[in-house]
Amino acid sequence: METFLSVSGKLAQGFGTTLSLFFLTLLFAIPLGLLFACISRVRLKALRFLMRAFIYIIRGTPLLLQLMIVVYLPGIVFNNPLTKWPVFKGNVPLSYFCGALFAFVINYACYFAEIFRGGIENIPKGQYEACEVLGMSHSQTFFRVILLQVIRNIVAPMSNEVVTLVKDTALARTVSVVEIYFAASEILRLQFIIWPLFYTGAFYLGFSALLTLLFGMIEKRLSRYWR
Amino acid sequence: MAFLEVKNLTKSFGDTRVLKGIDFDLNSGEVLSIIGSSGSGKTTLLRCLNFLETADGGSISVDGKAVFDAGDPLLSSHKAIRHNRINFGLVFQSFNLFPQYSVLRNLTLAAALKASEENPDYKKRKKEINAELDERALRLLDRIGLKEKKDSFPCELSGGQQQRVAIARALMLTPRILCFDEPTSALDPELTKEVLRVIKDLRTEGNTMIVVTHEMDFARDASDKVIFMANGIIEESGTPDKIFGSPESPLLTSFLNQ
């Protein structure tokens, strides 16, 4: 029982880091994704091409690889390792956490951008035209008519991505971020008990269940109206 | 001078000349039906009248005032177009109601937004103005026989009901000329009837209307004037009696015999 409590405490602490990574990634990746989506729709062909190429590269390579590049490249190429960067929380250096966060944000922004782009492009042209002949301005059209339909279009794919993000955070352990999985493997290494590793599953599952419920509610709320 | 005057309207998409100089006019309170096969340019003409497309050449005037002139940059500014387009209303083939709003809100949304922009004391009188709009919308819904559906959402209505709501929505802004782009093409015959009945009612109330249609019976019985378009020009025009009774153009004859 005592071991269980102490293990739970350590895992909960790791899960705190998992959650910070999760929420901070969403916080930055959603607006950045919106920006990427807009850029990949601009008239200027070169810019659009660059944006789409970037999104293609990020989506076409493993997040694991991107993590390695972000965290180790500054040290290898510029002789300026991330560990030297002055990011601290109290005495704990946060540089690897920030590096991992950066990689997660870029990666997820690219996925979100594609979801947003699809959500916007799926709005029937007739909706814009109806607004136009009714004399609405561009901003009225977007905020009063289009936006809610876009949100409705993206709820399901977003819920997918967000649940995937919960589990992807486990990758951060590869760059020394002590999230819940790392915490469990430390217990295995130091105390030779393996069940905490499996126990992490309960945390992931519980959190995913919460998210699924939340998205289900949003979806239900929106589908009360149409289709 | 006629109420609506269209002069030498031209429009190309790339190398394809869709409208090759369209001239016609229409008096107030008249109904004009535009017929013709697909690709003849009739929908493009309607879209030019509603500023969904910008014509390359020609002019349009309503009640003696120019609302479009290809040679006049003042009239092609975004602001001028937004101001002038309210002369025309448009009912689409695919209804295009706003799915997230109730029937009533579909009717009042644009009018409320317009009031919020143009009425200086909208903020103060918001409740009052919205109540007026609701009342007007309900009167319109009553006229098309859908008052009891005011709180329904578009997806809960049949195609015919949706199209009738779309007509009411266009009428909310009191356009001087109401245009219909194949309003019954997406409907089965039964629903077509109810929509055409509404359009006929609007005619008896003296509305000026332009209807692009494949319903020959409607064009014959319910319009004052018919235009037959082919290959981007007006091949023949006249009263329904003339167009359907004694067509001159061989193209029109073969179109009617299809």
Side-chain angles (χ1 to χ4, degrees), chain A residues 195-217:
Chain A
W195 59 263
L197 219 45
F198 309 144
Y199 182 24
T200 59
F203 286 83
Y204 287 117
L205 274 178
F207 192 57
S208 304
L210 273 179
L211 289 173
T212 310
L213 271 174
L214 179 74
F215 275 101
M217 267 161 57

mmCIF file with all atom_site columns, all heavy atoms in Angstrom, chain A residues 195-217:
data_model
loop_
_atom_site.group_PDB
_atom_site.id
_atom_site.type_symbol
_atom_site.label_atom_id
_atom_site.label_alt_id
_atom_site.label_comp_id
_atom_site.label_asym_id
_atom_site.label_entity_id
_atom_site.label_seq_id
_atom_site.pdbx_PDB_ins_code
_atom_site.Cartn_x
_atom_site.Cartn_y
_atom_site.Cartn_z
_atom_site.occupancy
_atom_site.B_iso_or_equiv
_atom_site.pdbx_formal_charge
_atom_site.auth_seq_id
_atom_site.auth_comp_id
_atom_site.auth_asym_id
_atom_site.auth_atom_id
_atom_site.pdbx_PDB_model_num
ATOM 1   N N   . TRP A 1 195 ? 5.206   -2.819 -12.469 1.00 0.00 ? 195 TRP A N   1
ATOM 2   C CA  . TRP A 1 195 ? 3.784   -2.467 -12.648 1.00 0.00 ? 195 TRP A CA  1
ATOM 3   C C   . TRP A 1 195 ? 3.483   -0.976 -12.782 1.00 0.00 ? 195 TRP A C   1
ATOM 4   O O   . TRP A 1 195 ? 2.529   -0.599 -13.454 1.00 0.00 ? 195 TRP A O   1
ATOM 5   C CB  . TRP A 1 195 ? 2.891   -3.126 -11.592 1.00 0.00 ? 195 TRP A CB  1
ATOM 6   C CG  . TRP A 1 195 ? 3.230   -2.763 -10.160 1.00 0.00 ? 195 TRP A CG  1
ATOM 7   C CD1 . TRP A 1 195 ? 3.987   -3.477 -9.288  1.00 0.00 ? 195 TRP A CD1 1
ATOM 8   C CD2 . TRP A 1 195 ? 2.796   -1.601 -9.450  1.00 0.00 ? 195 TRP A CD2 1
ATOM 9   N NE1 . TRP A 1 195 ? 4.091   -2.854 -8.090  1.00 0.00 ? 195 TRP A NE1 1
ATOM 10  C CE2 . TRP A 1 195 ? 3.360   -1.691 -8.155  1.00 0.00 ? 195 TRP A CE2 1
ATOM 11  C CE3 . TRP A 1 195 ? 2.010   -0.490 -9.754  1.00 0.00 ? 195 TRP A CE3 1
ATOM 12  C CZ2 . TRP A 1 195 ? 3.149   -0.707 -7.183  1.00 0.00 ? 195 TRP A CZ2 1
ATOM 13  C CZ3 . TRP A 1 195 ? 1.807   0.480  -8.791  1.00 0.00 ? 195 TRP A CZ3 1
ATOM 14  C CH2 . TRP A 1 195 ? 2.380   0.371  -7.523  1.00 0.00 ? 195 TRP A CH2 1
ATOM 15  N N   . PRO A 1 196 ? 4.303   -0.089 -12.223 1.00 0.00 ? 196 PRO A N   1
ATOM 16  C CA  . PRO A 1 196 ? 3.985   1.338  -12.432 1.00 0.00 ? 196 PRO A CA  1
ATOM 17  C C   . PRO A 1 196 ? 3.917   1.712  -13.914 1.00 0.00 ? 196 PRO A C   1
ATOM 18  O O   . PRO A 1 196 ? 3.142   2.576  -14.322 1.00 0.00 ? 196 PRO A O   1
ATOM 19  C CB  . PRO A 1 196 ? 5.141   2.054  -11.742 1.00 0.00 ? 196 PRO A CB  1
ATOM 20  C CG  . PRO A 1 196 ? 5.566   1.122  -10.684 1.00 0.00 ? 196 PRO A CG  1
ATOM 21  C CD  . PRO A 1 196 ? 5.431   -0.238 -11.281 1.00 0.00 ? 196 PRO A CD  1
ATOM 22  N N   . LEU A 1 197 ? 4.737   0.996  -14.718 1.00 0.00 ? 197 LEU A N   1
ATOM 23  C CA  . LEU A 1 197 ? 4.729   1.250  -16.144 1.00 0.00 ? 197 LEU A CA  1
ATOM 24  C C   . LEU A 1 197 ? 3.336   1.010  -16.719 1.00 0.00 ? 197 LEU A C   1
ATOM 25  O O   . LEU A 1 197 ? 2.832   1.791  -17.532 1.00 0.00 ? 197 LEU A O   1
ATOM 26  C CB  . LEU A 1 197 ? 5.744   0.311  -16.807 1.00 0.00 ? 197 LEU A CB  1
ATOM 27  C CG  . LEU A 1 197 ? 6.590   0.849  -17.961 1.00 0.00 ? 197 LEU A CG  1
ATOM 28  C CD1 . LEU A 1 197 ? 7.152   2.221  -17.658 1.00 0.00 ? 197 LEU A CD1 1
ATOM 29  C CD2 . LEU A 1 197 ? 7.707   -0.134 -18.252 1.00 0.00 ? 197 LEU A CD2 1
ATOM 30  N N   . PHE A 1 198 ? 2.731   -0.076 -16.283 1.00 0.00 ? 198 PHE A N   1
ATOM 31  C CA  . PHE A 1 198 ? 1.378   -0.394 -16.776 1.00 0.00 ? 198 PHE A CA  1
ATOM 32  C C   . PHE A 1 198 ? 0.344   0.557  -16.176 1.00 0.00 ? 198 PHE A C   1
ATOM 33  O O   . PHE A 1 198 ? -0.635  0.913  -16.810 1.00 0.00 ? 198 PHE A O   1
ATOM 34  C CB  . PHE A 1 198 ? 1.001   -1.844 -16.427 1.00 0.00 ? 198 PHE A CB  1
ATOM 35  C CG  . PHE A 1 198 ? 2.038   -2.855 -16.843 1.00 0.00 ? 198 PHE A CG  1
ATOM 36  C CD1 . PHE A 1 198 ? 2.305   -3.977 -16.071 1.00 0.00 ? 198 PHE A CD1 1
ATOM 37  C CD2 . PHE A 1 198 ? 2.766   -2.660 -18.010 1.00 0.00 ? 198 PHE A CD2 1
ATOM 38  C CE1 . PHE A 1 198 ? 3.270   -4.889 -16.455 1.00 0.00 ? 198 PHE A CE1 1
ATOM 39  C CE2 . PHE A 1 198 ? 3.730   -3.577 -18.398 1.00 0.00 ? 198 PHE A CE2 1
ATOM 40  C CZ  . PHE A 1 198 ? 3.983   -4.697 -17.622 1.00 0.00 ? 198 PHE A CZ  1
ATOM 41  N N   . TYR A 1 199 ? 0.633   0.940  -14.937 1.00 0.00 ? 199 TYR A N   1
ATOM 42  C CA  . TYR A 1 199 ? -0.280  1.827  -14.208 1.00 0.00 ? 199 TYR A CA  1
ATOM 43  C C   . TYR A 1 199 ? -0.445  3.168  -14.935 1.00 0.00 ? 199 TYR A C   1
ATOM 44  O O   . TYR A 1 199 ? -1.508  3.789  -14.883 1.00 0.00 ? 199 TYR A O   1
ATOM 45  C CB  . TYR A 1 199 ? 0.294   2.004  -12.792 1.00 0.00 ? 199 TYR A CB  1
ATOM 46  C CG  . TYR A 1 199 ? -0.510  2.850  -11.837 1.00 0.00 ? 199 TYR A CG  1
ATOM 47  C CD1 . TYR A 1 199 ? -1.888  3.033  -11.991 1.00 0.00 ? 199 TYR A CD1 1
ATOM 48  C CD2 . TYR A 1 199 ? 0.125   3.469  -10.753 1.00 0.00 ? 199 TYR A CD2 1
ATOM 49  C CE1 . TYR A 1 199 ? -2.594  3.799  -11.090 1.00 0.00 ? 199 TYR A CE1 1
ATOM 50  C CE2 . TYR A 1 199 ? -0.582  4.238  -9.841  1.00 0.00 ? 199 TYR A CE2 1
ATOM 51  C CZ  . TYR A 1 199 ? -1.934  4.416  -10.020 1.00 0.00 ? 199 TYR A CZ  1
ATOM 52  O OH  . TYR A 1 199 ? -2.630  5.181  -9.140  1.00 0.00 ? 199 TYR A OH  1
ATOM 53  N N   . THR A 1 200 ? 0.596   3.612  -15.658 1.00 0.00 ? 200 THR A N   1
ATOM 54  C CA  . THR A 1 200 ? 0.479   4.882  -16.399 1.00 0.00 ? 200 THR A CA  1
ATOM 55  C C   . THR A 1 200 ? -0.719  4.848  -17.342 1.00 0.00 ? 200 THR A C   1
ATOM 56  O O   . THR A 1 200 ? -1.346  5.875  -17.603 1.00 0.00 ? 200 THR A O   1
ATOM 57  C CB  . THR A 1 200 ? 1.733   5.165  -17.255 1.00 0.00 ? 200 THR A CB  1
ATOM 58  O OG1 . THR A 1 200 ? 1.899   4.092  -18.183 1.00 0.00 ? 200 THR A OG1 1
ATOM 59  C CG2 . THR A 1 200 ? 2.971   5.313  -16.415 1.00 0.00 ? 200 THR A CG2 1
ATOM 60  N N   . GLY A 1 201 ? -1.024  3.639  -17.849 1.00 0.00 ? 201 GLY A N   1
ATOM 61  C CA  . GLY A 1 201 ? -2.154  3.494  -18.777 1.00 0.00 ? 201 GLY A CA  1
ATOM 62  C C   . GLY A 1 201 ? -3.432  4.051  -18.191 1.00 0.00 ? 201 GLY A C   1
ATOM 63  O O   . GLY A 1 201 ? -4.242  4.659  -18.906 1.00 0.00 ? 201 GLY A O   1
ATOM 64  N N   . ALA A 1 202 ? -3.602  3.867  -16.863 1.00 0.00 ? 202 ALA A N   1
ATOM 65  C CA  . ALA A 1 202 ? -4.827  4.353  -16.215 1.00 0.00 ? 202 ALA A CA  1
ATOM 66  C C   . ALA A 1 202 ? -4.932  5.867  -16.331 1.00 0.00 ? 202 ALA A C   1
ATOM 67  O O   . ALA A 1 202 ? -6.007  6.411  -16.591 1.00 0.00 ? 202 ALA A O   1
ATOM 68  C CB  . ALA A 1 202 ? -4.838  3.938  -14.747 1.00 0.00 ? 202 ALA A CB  1
ATOM 69  N N   . PHE A 1 203 ? -3.789  6.552  -16.168 1.00 0.00 ? 203 PHE A N   1
ATOM 70  C CA  . PHE A 1 203 ? -3.800  8.017  -16.293 1.00 0.00 ? 203 PHE A CA  1
ATOM 71  C C   . PHE A 1 203 ? -4.196  8.437  -17.705 1.00 0.00 ? 203 PHE A C   1
ATOM 72  O O   . PHE A 1 203 ? -5.054  9.287  -17.903 1.00 0.00 ? 203 PHE A O   1
ATOM 73  C CB  . PHE A 1 203 ? -2.410  8.588  -15.957 1.00 0.00 ? 203 PHE A CB  1
ATOM 74  C CG  . PHE A 1 203 ? -2.087  8.564  -14.484 1.00 0.00 ? 203 PHE A CG  1
ATOM 75  C CD1 . PHE A 1 203 ? -1.586  7.416  -13.889 1.00 0.00 ? 203 PHE A CD1 1
ATOM 76  C CD2 . PHE A 1 203 ? -2.284  9.692  -13.699 1.00 0.00 ? 203 PHE A CD2 1
ATOM 77  C CE1 . PHE A 1 203 ? -1.292  7.396  -12.542 1.00 0.00 ? 203 PHE A CE1 1
ATOM 78  C CE2 . PHE A 1 203 ? -1.986  9.681  -12.350 1.00 0.00 ? 203 PHE A CE2 1
ATOM 79  C CZ  . PHE A 1 203 ? -1.484  8.514  -11.763 1.00 0.00 ? 203 PHE A CZ  1
ATOM 80  N N   . TYR A 1 204 ? -3.527  7.815  -18.684 1.00 0.00 ? 204 TYR A N   1
ATOM 81  C CA  . TYR A 1 204 ? -3.840  8.156  -20.079 1.00 0.00 ? 204 TYR A CA  1
ATOM 82  C C   . TYR A 1 204 ? -5.309  7.906  -20.394 1.00 0.00 ? 204 TYR A C   1
ATOM 83  O O   . TYR A 1 204 ? -5.996  8.739  -20.981 1.00 0.00 ? 204 TYR A O   1
ATOM 84  C CB  . TYR A 1 204 ? -2.979  7.324  -21.041 1.00 0.00 ? 204 TYR A CB  1
ATOM 85  C CG  . TYR A 1 204 ? -1.533  7.749  -21.088 1.00 0.00 ? 204 TYR A CG  1
ATOM 86  C CD1 . TYR A 1 204 ? -0.523  6.878  -20.692 1.00 0.00 ? 204 TYR A CD1 1
ATOM 87  C CD2 . TYR A 1 204 ? -1.167  9.014  -21.548 1.00 0.00 ? 204 TYR A CD2 1
ATOM 88  C CE1 . TYR A 1 204 ? 0.813   7.247  -20.745 1.00 0.00 ? 204 TYR A CE1 1
ATOM 89  C CE2 . TYR A 1 204 ? 0.161   9.397  -21.607 1.00 0.00 ? 204 TYR A CE2 1
ATOM 90  C CZ  . TYR A 1 204 ? 1.146   8.507  -21.203 1.00 0.00 ? 204 TYR A CZ  1
ATOM 91  O OH  . TYR A 1 204 ? 2.459   8.880  -21.253 1.00 0.00 ? 204 TYR A OH  1
ATOM 92  N N   . LEU A 1 205 ? -5.772  6.702  -19.964 1.00 0.00 ? 205 LEU A N   1
ATOM 93  C CA  . LEU A 1 205 ? -7.154  6.344  -20.273 1.00 0.00 ? 205 LEU A CA  1
ATOM 94  C C   . LEU A 1 205 ? -8.143  7.307  -19.626 1.00 0.00 ? 205 LEU A C   1
ATOM 95  O O   . LEU A 1 205 ? -9.096  7.758  -20.267 1.00 0.00 ? 205 LEU A O   1
ATOM 96  C CB  . LEU A 1 205 ? -7.463  4.922  -19.777 1.00 0.00 ? 205 LEU A CB  1
ATOM 97  C CG  . LEU A 1 205 ? -7.106  3.798  -20.730 1.00 0.00 ? 205 LEU A CG  1
ATOM 98  C CD1 . LEU A 1 205 ? -7.412  2.456  -20.094 1.00 0.00 ? 205 LEU A CD1 1
ATOM 99  C CD2 . LEU A 1 205 ? -7.867  3.955  -22.038 1.00 0.00 ? 205 LEU A CD2 1
ATOM 100 N N   . GLY A 1 206 ? -7.888  7.623  -18.356 1.00 0.00 ? 206 GLY A N   1
ATOM 101 C CA  . GLY A 1 206 ? -8.790  8.525  -17.652 1.00 0.00 ? 206 GLY A CA  1
ATOM 102 C C   . GLY A 1 206 ? -8.875  9.872  -18.347 1.00 0.00 ? 206 GLY A C   1
ATOM 103 O O   . GLY A 1 206 ? -9.963  10.401 -18.581 1.00 0.00 ? 206 GLY A O   1
ATOM 104 N N   . PHE A 1 207 ? -7.717  10.374 -18.745 1.00 0.00 ? 207 PHE A N   1
ATOM 105 C CA  . PHE A 1 207 ? -7.708  11.692 -19.373 1.00 0.00 ? 207 PHE A CA  1
ATOM 106 C C   . PHE A 1 207 ? -8.363  11.658 -20.761 1.00 0.00 ? 207 PHE A C   1
ATOM 107 O O   . PHE A 1 207 ? -9.136  12.551 -21.116 1.00 0.00 ? 207 PHE A O   1
ATOM 108 C CB  . PHE A 1 207 ? -6.270  12.215 -19.460 1.00 0.00 ? 207 PHE A CB  1
ATOM 109 C CG  . PHE A 1 207 ? -6.198  13.663 -19.825 1.00 0.00 ? 207 PHE A CG  1
ATOM 110 C CD1 . PHE A 1 207 ? -6.844  14.623 -19.056 1.00 0.00 ? 207 PHE A CD1 1
ATOM 111 C CD2 . PHE A 1 207 ? -5.496  14.074 -20.953 1.00 0.00 ? 207 PHE A CD2 1
ATOM 112 C CE1 . PHE A 1 207 ? -6.786  15.960 -19.397 1.00 0.00 ? 207 PHE A CE1 1
ATOM 113 C CE2 . PHE A 1 207 ? -5.437  15.409 -21.295 1.00 0.00 ? 207 PHE A CE2 1
ATOM 114 C CZ  . PHE A 1 207 ? -6.084  16.353 -20.523 1.00 0.00 ? 207 PHE A CZ  1
ATOM 115 N N   . SER A 1 208 ? -8.072  10.584 -21.500 1.00 0.00 ? 208 SER A N   1
ATOM 116 C CA  . SER A 1 208 ? -8.708  10.452 -22.825 1.00 0.00 ? 208 SER A CA  1
ATOM 117 C C   . SER A 1 208 ? -10.219 10.381 -22.683 1.00 0.00 ? 208 SER A C   1
ATOM 118 O O   . SER A 1 208 ? -10.956 10.939 -23.500 1.00 0.00 ? 208 SER A O   1
ATOM 119 C CB  . SER A 1 208 ? -8.228  9.197  -23.540 1.00 0.00 ? 208 SER A CB  1
ATOM 120 O OG  . SER A 1 208 ? -6.838  9.205  -23.642 1.00 0.00 ? 208 SER A OG  1
ATOM 121 N N   . ALA A 1 209 ? -10.672 9.689  -21.635 1.00 0.00 ? 209 ALA A N   1
ATOM 122 C CA  . ALA A 1 209 ? -12.120 9.561  -21.426 1.00 0.00 ? 209 ALA A CA  1
ATOM 123 C C   . ALA A 1 209 ? -12.735 10.946 -21.224 1.00 0.00 ? 209 ALA A C   1
ATOM 124 O O   . ALA A 1 209 ? -13.766 11.274 -21.807 1.00 0.00 ? 209 ALA A O   1
ATOM 125 C CB  . ALA A 1 209 ? -12.401 8.675  -20.222 1.00 0.00 ? 209 ALA A CB  1
ATOM 126 N N   . LEU A 1 210 ? -12.049 11.764 -20.409 1.00 0.00 ? 210 LEU A N   1
ATOM 127 C CA  . LEU A 1 210 ? -12.537 13.132 -20.189 1.00 0.00 ? 210 LEU A CA  1
ATOM 128 C C   . LEU A 1 210 ? -12.657 13.905 -21.499 1.00 0.00 ? 210 LEU A C   1
ATOM 129 O O   . LEU A 1 210 ? -13.664 14.544 -21.786 1.00 0.00 ? 210 LEU A O   1
ATOM 130 C CB  . LEU A 1 210 ? -11.566 13.882 -19.267 1.00 0.00 ? 210 LEU A CB  1
ATOM 131 C CG  . LEU A 1 210 ? -11.776 13.741 -17.765 1.00 0.00 ? 210 LEU A CG  1
ATOM 132 C CD1 . LEU A 1 210 ? -10.718 14.540 -17.017 1.00 0.00 ? 210 LEU A CD1 1
ATOM 133 C CD2 . LEU A 1 210 ? -13.175 14.254 -17.407 1.00 0.00 ? 210 LEU A CD2 1
ATOM 134 N N   . LEU A 1 211 ? -11.579 13.804 -22.305 1.00 0.00 ? 211 LEU A N   1
ATOM 135 C CA  . LEU A 1 211 ? -11.574 14.536 -23.576 1.00 0.00 ? 211 LEU A CA  1
ATOM 136 C C   . LEU A 1 211 ? -12.672 14.036 -24.507 1.00 0.00 ? 211 LEU A C   1
ATOM 137 O O   . LEU A 1 211 ? -13.356 14.823 -25.158 1.00 0.00 ? 211 LEU A O   1
ATOM 138 C CB  . LEU A 1 211 ? -10.218 14.367 -24.268 1.00 0.00 ? 211 LEU A CB  1
ATOM 139 C CG  . LEU A 1 211 ? -9.056  15.089 -23.616 1.00 0.00 ? 211 LEU A CG  1
ATOM 140 C CD1 . LEU A 1 211 ? -7.755  14.695 -24.284 1.00 0.00 ? 211 LEU A CD1 1
ATOM 141 C CD2 . LEU A 1 211 ? -9.263  16.594 -23.709 1.00 0.00 ? 211 LEU A CD2 1
ATOM 142 N N   . THR A 1 212 ? -12.829 12.702 -24.557 1.00 0.00 ? 212 THR A N   1
ATOM 143 C CA  . THR A 1 212 ? -13.857 12.136 -25.435 1.00 0.00 ? 212 THR A CA  1
ATOM 144 C C   . THR A 1 212 ? -15.232 12.641 -25.026 1.00 0.00 ? 212 THR A C   1
ATOM 145 O O   . THR A 1 212 ? -16.045 13.020 -25.872 1.00 0.00 ? 212 THR A O   1
ATOM 146 C CB  . THR A 1 212 ? -13.817 10.604 -25.381 1.00 0.00 ? 212 THR A CB  1
ATOM 147 O OG1 . THR A 1 212 ? -12.471 10.180 -25.592 1.00 0.00 ? 212 THR A OG1 1
ATOM 148 C CG2 . THR A 1 212 ? -14.701 9.991  -26.448 1.00 0.00 ? 212 THR A CG2 1
ATOM 149 N N   . LEU A 1 213 ? -15.459 12.661 -23.699 1.00 0.00 ? 213 LEU A N   1
ATOM 150 C CA  . LEU A 1 213 ? -16.742 13.173 -23.202 1.00 0.00 ? 213 LEU A CA  1
ATOM 151 C C   . LEU A 1 213 ? -16.949 14.620 -23.625 1.00 0.00 ? 213 LEU A C   1
ATOM 152 O O   . LEU A 1 213 ? -18.002 15.007 -24.120 1.00 0.00 ? 213 LEU A O   1
ATOM 153 C CB  . LEU A 1 213 ? -16.766 13.102 -21.675 1.00 0.00 ? 213 LEU A CB  1
ATOM 154 C CG  . LEU A 1 213 ? -17.292 11.798 -21.069 1.00 0.00 ? 213 LEU A CG  1
ATOM 155 C CD1 . LEU A 1 213 ? -17.118 11.816 -19.552 1.00 0.00 ? 213 LEU A CD1 1
ATOM 156 C CD2 . LEU A 1 213 ? -18.770 11.639 -21.429 1.00 0.00 ? 213 LEU A CD2 1
ATOM 157 N N   . LEU A 1 214 ? -15.887 15.425 -23.433 1.00 0.00 ? 214 LEU A N   1
ATOM 158 C CA  . LEU A 1 214 ? -15.969 16.843 -23.757 1.00 0.00 ? 214 LEU A CA  1
ATOM 159 C C   . LEU A 1 214 ? -16.308 17.057 -25.229 1.00 0.00 ? 214 LEU A C   1
ATOM 160 O O   . LEU A 1 214 ? -17.232 17.796 -25.575 1.00 0.00 ? 214 LEU A O   1
ATOM 161 C CB  . LEU A 1 214 ? -14.632 17.513 -23.418 1.00 0.00 ? 214 LEU A CB  1
ATOM 162 C CG  . LEU A 1 214 ? -14.547 18.996 -23.733 1.00 0.00 ? 214 LEU A CG  1
ATOM 163 C CD1 . LEU A 1 214 ? -15.358 19.784 -22.723 1.00 0.00 ? 214 LEU A CD1 1
ATOM 164 C CD2 . LEU A 1 214 ? -13.097 19.472 -23.719 1.00 0.00 ? 214 LEU A CD2 1
ATOM 165 N N   . PHE A 1 215 ? -15.558 16.373 -26.095 1.00 0.00 ? 215 PHE A N   1
ATOM 166 C CA  . PHE A 1 215 ? -15.805 16.537 -27.533 1.00 0.00 ? 215 PHE A CA  1
ATOM 167 C C   . PHE A 1 215 ? -17.183 16.008 -27.916 1.00 0.00 ? 215 PHE A C   1
ATOM 168 O O   . PHE A 1 215 ? -17.852 16.568 -28.784 1.00 0.00 ? 215 PHE A O   1
ATOM 169 C CB  . PHE A 1 215 ? -14.711 15.864 -28.354 1.00 0.00 ? 215 PHE A CB  1
ATOM 170 C CG  . PHE A 1 215 ? -13.518 16.746 -28.565 1.00 0.00 ? 215 PHE A CG  1
ATOM 171 C CD1 . PHE A 1 215 ? -12.372 16.576 -27.810 1.00 0.00 ? 215 PHE A CD1 1
ATOM 172 C CD2 . PHE A 1 215 ? -13.561 17.756 -29.512 1.00 0.00 ? 215 PHE A CD2 1
ATOM 173 C CE1 . PHE A 1 215 ? -11.275 17.404 -27.995 1.00 0.00 ? 215 PHE A CE1 1
ATOM 174 C CE2 . PHE A 1 215 ? -12.469 18.584 -29.702 1.00 0.00 ? 215 PHE A CE2 1
ATOM 175 C CZ  . PHE A 1 215 ? -11.324 18.410 -28.942 1.00 0.00 ? 215 PHE A CZ  1
ATOM 176 N N   . GLY A 1 216 ? -17.595 14.916 -27.261 1.00 0.00 ? 216 GLY A N   1
ATOM 177 C CA  . GLY A 1 216 ? -18.922 14.381 -27.531 1.00 0.00 ? 216 GLY A CA  1
ATOM 178 C C   . GLY A 1 216 ? -19.988 15.417 -27.233 1.00 0.00 ? 216 GLY A C   1
ATOM 179 O O   . GLY A 1 216 ? -20.942 15.593 -27.998 1.00 0.00 ? 216 GLY A O   1
ATOM 180 N N   . MET A 1 217 ? -19.779 16.133 -26.116 1.00 0.00 ? 217 MET A N   1
ATOM 181 C CA  . MET A 1 217 ? -20.749 17.159 -25.738 1.00 0.00 ? 217 MET A CA  1
ATOM 182 C C   . MET A 1 217 ? -20.797 18.279 -26.775 1.00 0.00 ? 217 MET A C   1
ATOM 183 O O   . MET A 1 217 ? -21.870 18.735 -27.172 1.00 0.00 ? 217 MET A O   1
ATOM 184 C CB  . MET A 1 217 ? -20.388 17.745 -24.373 1.00 0.00 ? 217 MET A CB  1
ATOM 185 C CG  . MET A 1 217 ? -21.088 17.051 -23.214 1.00 0.00 ? 217 MET A CG  1
ATOM 186 S SD  . MET A 1 217 ? -20.251 17.366 -21.638 1.00 0.00 ? 217 MET A SD  1
ATOM 187 C CE  . MET A 1 217 ? -20.257 19.150 -21.570 1.00 0.00 ? 217 MET A CE  1
#
